[in-house]
mmCIF file of all heavy atoms in Angstrom:
data_model
loop_
_atom_site.group_PDB
_atom_site.id
_atom_site.type_symbol
_atom_site.label_atom_id
_atom_site.label_comp_id
_atom_site.label_asym_id
_atom_site.label_seq_id
_atom_site.Cartn_x
_atom_site.Cartn_y
_atom_site.Cartn_z
ATOM 1 N N LEU R 1 88.997 80.484 112.232
ATOM 2 C CA LEU R 1 90.369 80.921 112.063
ATOM 3 C C LEU R 1 90.465 82.424 112.229
ATOM 4 O O LEU R 1 89.503 83.155 112.134
ATOM 5 C CB LEU R 1 90.887 80.522 110.648
ATOM 6 C CG LEU R 1 90.171 81.149 109.451
ATOM 7 C CD1 LEU R 1 91.045 82.148 108.745
ATOM 8 C CD2 LEU R 1 89.787 80.025 108.495
ATOM 9 N N VAL R 2 91.689 82.878 112.578
ATOM 10 C CA VAL R 2 92.030 84.278 112.680
ATOM 11 C C VAL R 2 92.797 84.679 111.447
ATOM 12 O O VAL R 2 93.726 83.982 111.071
ATOM 13 C CB VAL R 2 92.827 84.593 113.971
ATOM 14 C CG1 VAL R 2 93.204 86.056 114.000
ATOM 15 C CG2 VAL R 2 92.052 84.208 115.207
ATOM 16 N N ASP R 3 92.370 85.797 110.806
ATOM 17 C CA ASP R 3 93.007 86.235 109.593
ATOM 18 C C ASP R 3 93.602 87.648 109.833
ATOM 19 O O ASP R 3 93.137 88.380 110.689
ATOM 20 C CB ASP R 3 91.974 86.305 108.459
ATOM 21 C CG ASP R 3 92.629 86.412 107.072
ATOM 22 O OD1 ASP R 3 93.816 85.969 106.931
ATOM 23 O OD2 ASP R 3 91.875 86.862 106.178
ATOM 24 N N ASP R 4 94.617 87.961 109.027
ATOM 25 C CA ASP R 4 95.224 89.284 108.982
ATOM 26 C C ASP R 4 96.045 89.700 110.218
ATOM 27 O O ASP R 4 96.173 90.862 110.479
ATOM 28 C CB ASP R 4 94.196 90.363 108.595
ATOM 29 C CG ASP R 4 93.705 90.215 107.162
ATOM 30 O OD1 ASP R 4 94.463 89.622 106.330
ATOM 31 O OD2 ASP R 4 92.616 90.667 106.878
ATOM 32 N N GLU R 5 96.586 88.710 110.905
ATOM 33 C CA GLU R 5 97.451 89.003 112.041
ATOM 34 C C GLU R 5 98.682 89.757 111.590
ATOM 35 O O GLU R 5 99.172 90.683 112.308
ATOM 36 C CB GLU R 5 97.850 87.743 112.768
ATOM 37 C CG GLU R 5 96.657 87.124 113.508
ATOM 38 C CD GLU R 5 97.014 85.767 114.097
ATOM 39 O OE1 GLU R 5 97.233 84.819 113.332
ATOM 40 O OE2 GLU R 5 96.993 85.668 115.345
ATOM 41 N N ASP R 6 99.208 89.462 110.385
ATOM 42 C CA ASP R 6 100.350 90.180 109.841
ATOM 43 C C ASP R 6 100.021 91.628 109.540
ATOM 44 O O ASP R 6 100.805 92.554 109.831
ATOM 45 C CB ASP R 6 100.879 89.477 108.588
ATOM 46 C CG ASP R 6 99.796 89.312 107.506
ATOM 47 O OD1 ASP R 6 98.564 89.315 107.826
ATOM 48 O OD2 ASP R 6 100.174 89.131 106.328
ATOM 49 N N GLU R 7 98.815 91.879 109.027
ATOM 50 C CA GLU R 7 98.357 93.246 108.748
ATOM 51 C C GLU R 7 98.198 94.028 110.046
ATOM 52 O O GLU R 7 98.592 95.176 110.138
ATOM 53 C CB GLU R 7 97.035 93.210 107.974
ATOM 54 C CG GLU R 7 96.555 94.537 107.487
ATOM 55 C CD GLU R 7 95.296 94.463 106.684
ATOM 56 O OE1 GLU R 7 94.964 93.425 106.109
ATOM 57 O OE2 GLU R 7 94.538 95.452 106.698
ATOM 58 N N PHE R 8 97.670 93.376 111.094
ATOM 59 C CA PHE R 8 97.514 93.992 112.368
ATOM 60 C C PHE R 8 98.863 94.454 112.901
ATOM 61 O O PHE R 8 99.087 95.578 113.402
ATOM 62 C CB PHE R 8 96.826 93.045 113.363
ATOM 63 C CG PHE R 8 96.592 93.542 114.743
ATOM 64 C CD1 PHE R 8 95.878 94.765 114.926
ATOM 65 C CD2 PHE R 8 97.084 92.858 115.862
ATOM 66 C CE1 PHE R 8 95.635 95.219 116.242
ATOM 67 C CE2 PHE R 8 96.847 93.309 117.128
ATOM 68 C CZ PHE R 8 96.120 94.507 117.337
ATOM 69 N N ALA R 9 99.867 93.585 112.861
ATOM 70 C CA ALA R 9 101.245 93.900 113.305
ATOM 71 C C ALA R 9 101.833 95.070 112.502
ATOM 72 O O ALA R 9 102.431 95.977 113.029
ATOM 73 C CB ALA R 9 102.116 92.690 113.215
ATOM 74 N N GLU R 10 101.680 94.970 111.179
ATOM 75 C CA GLU R 10 102.204 96.023 110.315
ATOM 76 C C GLU R 10 101.546 97.386 110.589
ATOM 77 O O GLU R 10 102.237 98.418 110.647
ATOM 78 C CB GLU R 10 101.937 95.652 108.828
ATOM 79 C CG GLU R 10 102.390 96.608 107.819
ATOM 80 C CD GLU R 10 102.000 96.233 106.407
ATOM 81 O OE1 GLU R 10 102.103 95.051 106.045
ATOM 82 O OE2 GLU R 10 101.523 97.122 105.656
ATOM 83 N N HIS R 11 100.218 97.386 110.749
ATOM 84 C CA HIS R 11 99.504 98.658 110.965
ATOM 85 C C HIS R 11 99.761 99.247 112.340
ATOM 86 O O HIS R 11 99.553 100.457 112.541
ATOM 87 C CB HIS R 11 98.043 98.502 110.667
ATOM 88 C CG HIS R 11 97.760 98.332 109.227
ATOM 89 N ND1 HIS R 11 96.523 98.058 108.719
ATOM 90 C CD2 HIS R 11 98.568 98.457 108.096
ATOM 91 C CE1 HIS R 11 96.579 98.015 107.388
ATOM 92 N NE2 HIS R 11 97.820 98.254 107.011
ATOM 93 N N GLN R 12 100.128 98.412 113.307
ATOM 94 C CA GLN R 12 100.494 98.976 114.644
ATOM 95 C C GLN R 12 101.634 99.941 114.478
ATOM 96 O O GLN R 12 101.648 101.027 115.144
ATOM 97 C CB GLN R 12 100.907 97.862 115.574
ATOM 98 C CG GLN R 12 99.758 96.987 116.035
ATOM 99 C CD GLN R 12 100.240 95.831 116.870
ATOM 100 O OE1 GLN R 12 101.085 95.959 117.739
ATOM 101 N NE2 GLN R 12 99.686 94.639 116.631
ATOM 102 N N VAL R 13 102.562 99.665 113.598
ATOM 103 C CA VAL R 13 103.688 100.532 113.327
ATOM 104 C C VAL R 13 103.309 101.666 112.350
ATOM 105 O O VAL R 13 103.532 102.808 112.623
ATOM 106 C CB VAL R 13 104.913 99.716 112.736
ATOM 107 C CG1 VAL R 13 106.034 100.648 112.366
ATOM 108 C CG2 VAL R 13 105.319 98.666 113.739
ATOM 109 N N LYS R 14 102.674 101.267 111.253
ATOM 110 C CA LYS R 14 102.362 102.244 110.206
ATOM 111 C C LYS R 14 101.441 103.370 110.744
ATOM 112 O O LYS R 14 101.672 104.564 110.441
ATOM 113 C CB LYS R 14 101.679 101.539 109.017
ATOM 114 C CG LYS R 14 101.271 102.446 107.899
ATOM 115 C CD LYS R 14 100.650 101.683 106.747
ATOM 116 C CE LYS R 14 100.202 102.606 105.632
ATOM 117 N NZ LYS R 14 99.668 101.871 104.507
ATOM 118 N N TYR R 15 100.423 102.963 111.541
ATOM 119 C CA TYR R 15 99.425 103.987 111.958
ATOM 120 C C TYR R 15 99.670 104.416 113.419
ATOM 121 O O TYR R 15 98.984 105.288 113.925
ATOM 122 C CB TYR R 15 98.012 103.431 111.856
ATOM 123 C CG TYR R 15 97.563 103.133 110.425
ATOM 124 C CD1 TYR R 15 97.048 101.906 110.077
ATOM 125 C CD2 TYR R 15 97.712 104.096 109.430
ATOM 126 C CE1 TYR R 15 96.664 101.638 108.785
ATOM 127 C CE2 TYR R 15 97.309 103.825 108.102
ATOM 128 C CZ TYR R 15 96.782 102.575 107.791
ATOM 129 O OH TYR R 15 96.363 102.347 106.537
ATOM 130 N N GLY R 16 100.604 103.752 114.077
ATOM 131 C CA GLY R 16 100.864 104.154 115.463
ATOM 132 C C GLY R 16 99.730 103.811 116.405
ATOM 133 O O GLY R 16 99.382 104.693 117.243
ATOM 134 N N TYR R 17 99.163 102.639 116.302
ATOM 135 C CA TYR R 17 98.108 102.248 117.204
ATOM 136 C C TYR R 17 98.539 102.458 118.655
ATOM 137 O O TYR R 17 99.583 101.948 119.033
ATOM 138 C CB TYR R 17 97.668 100.794 117.078
ATOM 139 C CG TYR R 17 97.010 100.411 115.800
ATOM 140 C CD1 TYR R 17 96.807 99.058 115.524
ATOM 141 C CD2 TYR R 17 96.596 101.269 114.818
ATOM 142 C CE1 TYR R 17 96.129 98.625 114.366
ATOM 143 C CE2 TYR R 17 95.968 100.851 113.639
ATOM 144 C CZ TYR R 17 95.778 99.536 113.450
ATOM 145 O OH TYR R 17 95.153 99.071 112.301
ATOM 146 N N PRO R 18 97.766 103.119 119.480
ATOM 147 C CA PRO R 18 98.068 103.232 120.895
ATOM 148 C C PRO R 18 98.012 101.836 121.562
ATOM 149 O O PRO R 18 97.294 100.940 121.116
ATOM 150 C CB PRO R 18 96.998 104.154 121.443
ATOM 151 C CG PRO R 18 96.450 104.864 120.236
ATOM 152 C CD PRO R 18 96.585 103.923 119.101
ATOM 153 N N ALA R 19 98.764 101.686 122.655
ATOM 154 C CA ALA R 19 98.780 100.394 123.411
ATOM 155 C C ALA R 19 97.396 99.956 123.775
ATOM 156 O O ALA R 19 97.085 98.761 123.723
ATOM 157 C CB ALA R 19 99.668 100.534 124.654
ATOM 158 N N GLU R 20 96.550 100.861 124.182
ATOM 159 C CA GLU R 20 95.185 100.503 124.589
ATOM 160 C C GLU R 20 94.371 99.912 123.420
ATOM 161 O O GLU R 20 93.603 98.948 123.607
ATOM 162 C CB GLU R 20 94.409 101.676 125.224
ATOM 163 C CG GLU R 20 93.019 101.332 125.608
ATOM 164 C CD GLU R 20 92.207 102.554 126.086
ATOM 165 O OE1 GLU R 20 92.794 103.444 126.724
ATOM 166 O OE2 GLU R 20 91.002 102.573 125.839
ATOM 167 N N VAL R 21 94.552 100.512 122.242
ATOM 168 C CA VAL R 21 93.851 100.032 121.057
ATOM 169 C C VAL R 21 94.340 98.626 120.701
ATOM 170 O O VAL R 21 93.532 97.692 120.386
ATOM 171 C CB VAL R 21 94.042 100.976 119.882
ATOM 172 C CG1 VAL R 21 93.532 100.356 118.528
ATOM 173 C CG2 VAL R 21 93.231 102.283 120.136
ATOM 174 N N ILE R 22 95.637 98.394 120.740
ATOM 175 C CA ILE R 22 96.215 97.098 120.502
ATOM 176 C C ILE R 22 95.678 96.062 121.458
ATOM 177 O O ILE R 22 95.249 94.962 121.073
ATOM 178 C CB ILE R 22 97.735 97.121 120.569
ATOM 179 C CG1 ILE R 22 98.305 98.012 119.455
ATOM 180 C CG2 ILE R 22 98.348 95.700 120.467
ATOM 181 C CD1 ILE R 22 99.777 98.412 119.585
ATOM 182 N N ALA R 23 95.653 96.395 122.739
ATOM 183 C CA ALA R 23 95.156 95.472 123.767
ATOM 184 C C ALA R 23 93.658 95.177 123.579
ATOM 185 O O ALA R 23 93.274 93.976 123.672
ATOM 186 C CB ALA R 23 95.465 96.017 125.171
ATOM 187 N N GLN R 24 92.876 96.127 123.309
ATOM 188 C CA GLN R 24 91.406 95.960 123.149
ATOM 189 C C GLN R 24 91.161 95.108 121.900
ATOM 190 O O GLN R 24 90.318 94.240 121.920
ATOM 191 C CB GLN R 24 90.695 97.317 123.014
ATOM 192 C CG GLN R 24 90.629 98.063 124.269
ATOM 193 C CD GLN R 24 89.561 97.580 125.252
ATOM 194 O OE1 GLN R 24 88.927 96.529 125.042
ATOM 195 N NE2 GLN R 24 89.367 98.256 126.328
ATOM 196 N N ALA R 25 91.880 95.402 120.840
ATOM 197 C CA ALA R 25 91.715 94.610 119.589
ATOM 198 C C ALA R 25 92.062 93.162 119.796
ATOM 199 O O ALA R 25 91.320 92.239 119.386
ATOM 200 C CB ALA R 25 92.486 95.232 118.448
ATOM 201 N N GLN R 26 93.181 92.917 120.433
ATOM 202 C CA GLN R 26 93.620 91.504 120.649
ATOM 203 C C GLN R 26 92.678 90.793 121.568
ATOM 204 O O GLN R 26 92.312 89.620 121.391
ATOM 205 C CB GLN R 26 95.056 91.488 121.236
ATOM 206 C CG GLN R 26 95.582 90.059 121.251
ATOM 207 C CD GLN R 26 95.719 89.468 119.874
ATOM 208 O OE1 GLN R 26 96.465 89.952 119.042
ATOM 209 N NE2 GLN R 26 95.022 88.324 119.587
ATOM 210 N N ALA R 27 92.205 91.453 122.637
ATOM 211 C CA ALA R 27 91.237 90.838 123.579
ATOM 212 C C ALA R 27 89.945 90.512 122.855
ATOM 213 O O ALA R 27 89.340 89.449 123.097
ATOM 214 C CB ALA R 27 91.013 91.762 124.782
ATOM 215 N N SER R 28 89.481 91.429 122.045
ATOM 216 C CA SER R 28 88.233 91.185 121.274
ATOM 217 C C SER R 28 88.383 89.978 120.336
ATOM 218 O O SER R 28 87.540 89.085 120.268
ATOM 219 C CB SER R 28 87.866 92.434 120.476
ATOM 220 O OG SER R 28 86.652 92.217 119.767
#
């Protein structure tokens, strides 16, 4: 199972994850 998808979405906004970081994290 995949956990903490909600936290990942929230932190993209809160911490301002760059698009490349988001893409690399999701691909991993």
Side-chain angles (χ1 to χ4, degrees):
L1 63 109
V2 176
D3 195 23
D4 291 336
E5 291 172 295
D6 55 338
E7 187 178 333
F8 181 57
E10 178 186 318
H11 287 174
Q12 289 175 43
V13 175
K14 180 178 179 179
Y15 297 130
Y17 291 173
E20 179 184 326
V21 168
I22 295 167
Q24 289 283 5
Q26 189 63 62
S28 181

